[in-house]
Amino acid sequence: MSWEKQFADPALAGFRMVGFDLRGHGDSDKPTLLDAYSDADRWADDVAAVIDATRLRNPVLVGWSLGGYVAGAYLRRHGGSGIAGVNLVDAVTKLSPDLLTEEAGAFTRTTTSHDLAERTAATADFLAACFHQLPAPSEMQRMLVVNGMTSRAVNEGFVRTATIDLEPVFAAYAGPILLTHGVHDRLVRVAMSERIKAIHKNSRLSLYDNSGHSPFYEEPARYGQELAAFVKAANGD
C-alpha cells in the first residue's frame, strides 16, 4: 500500500510492477522468532521467490528504507547478473550511527520495546517522522493501522542482521543505481546515499527538496518520471 501512488501513476503505466509485503509486514506471514528476521539471507530469498514466482526478467529492484537493505541482501546472496538496476530510496545500507539520525537511533529502541504502550506511541511518532509534508489525516490514520500490523520482532531482528555492511556489495554491483533521497529526512542522513554514490561509478543521486523520508509519496509526480526514465535506460531503451 505504500506504493499505491506509483501503481496509479500514468508515467509508470507502461511497466510491469510487482509489489509485496515484506515478511512481518502487512498481510505477509509474521513469524514470532527473531531468527526469522535476523538472517539477511532470509530477506534475500523472499525477493528471489517473488522474482521467480512472477517470472520477472531483468527487473529493477526498488528498495525504500529497510527495503534498501533487503535489496542489498539479495545482491549479496544471489548476485546482480539478472538485475537491470537498483533504485535506493532513502535506503539503509549500513546501520551506522554517523549515517542515521539520533531520532532514528531512538526508534530502534522504542519501536522494539516489549512495553506495548511505549511501542504504540513510538510507532505513531515514527510514522510522523517519515514525512516532511504530512499526508492527509485520513491517509495517516490508514498508515497507522498498517504500521501497527508490523510484528515487533521485525525491528528487533533487523537490528541484528543490519550489522552486515552492504556497501561493498553495492560497490561491486555492475548495474546502474539511482539514489533517491529527501533532503529533510529525519531518519536516514543524505550521507548514506552519498556514500553509495562515492563507491559506485554508475550511480546518480537525486535529492528531493520538499521531501523527508518518503519522496515517492511526497513528490510522486517527479519520482514517477525519474523512475520511468531510469528503468528505460537500465534496460537499454
Side-chain angles (χ1 to χ4, degrees):
M1 293 175 68
S2 298
W3 299 94
E4 61 184 5
K5 290 188 177 184
Q6 283 63 58
F7 278 84
D9 189 344
L12 298 169
F15 301 95
R16 184 186 181 200
M17 294 185 286
V18 174
F20 71 101
D21 295 333
L22 294 174
R23 59 174 51 219
H25 295 71
D27 269 349
S28 288
D29 288 350
K30 298 174 177 61
T32 56
L33 297 178
L34 295 186
D35 288 349
Y37 309 99
S38 61
D39 183 351
D41 288 345
R42 291 179 183 266
W43 297 96
D45 290 344
D46 289 346
V47 177
V50 170
I51 291 175
D52 181 64
T54 54
R55 299 181 180 180
L56 297 179
R57 297 188 303 274
N58 298 318
V60 168
L61 297 182
V62 179
W64 169 47
S65 195
L66 163 63
Y69 198 90
V70 174
Y74 174 87
L75 295 177
R76 174 176 174 263
R77 181 162 171 81
H78 296 278
S81 60
I83 303 300
V86 178
N87 176 211
L88 298 176
V89 185
D90 292 69
V92 175
T93 55
K94 182 178 182 180
L95 203 63
S96 176
D98 60 325
L99 300 177
L100 298 170
T101 65
E102 292 183 4
E103 191 170 8
F107 282 132
T108 62
R109 298 186 296 274
T110 56
T111 60
T112 60
S113 173
H114 287 234
D115 181 276
L116 181 59
E118 181 180 24
R119 193 167 74 251
T120 300
T123 298
D125 291 342
F126 171 80
L127 180 60
C130 286
F131 301 96
H132 177 59
Q133 304 179 69
L134 286 177
S138 59
E139 294 174 329
M140 286 291 285
Q141 184 179 45
R142 185 175 61 165
M143 291 177 190
L144 275 171
V145 174
V146 173
N147 275 264
M149 293 170 65
T150 303
S151 169
R152 172 184 56 77
V154 170
N155 295 322
E156 197 169 354
F158 174 67
V159 170
R160 295 185 181 184
T161 190
T163 55
I164 301 173
D165 182 1
L166 292 176
E167 286 186 353
V169 175
F170 286 110
Y173 171 59
I177 297 178
L178 172 62
L179 299 153
T180 304
H181 211 113
V183 169
H184 303 282
D185 194 333
R186 291 167 52 183
L187 304 170
V188 180
R189 300 186 191 277
V190 176
M192 185 89 74
S193 292
E194 290 175 335
R195 284 175 67 98
I196 299 299
K197 183 178 184 299
I199 62 178
H200 192 281
K201 61 181 180 180
N202 191 14
S203 62
R204 182 174 75 86
L205 174 59
S206 183
L207 297 176
Y208 283 63
D209 293 332
N210 297 311
S211 294
H213 190 58
S214 310
F216 64 94
Y217 199 91
E218 299 176 78
E219 298 180 70
R222 174 186 166 185
Y223 176 76
Q225 292 170 0
E226 291 191 355
L227 179 58
F230 176 70
V231 173
K232 288 180 180 179
N235 283 281
D237 295 339

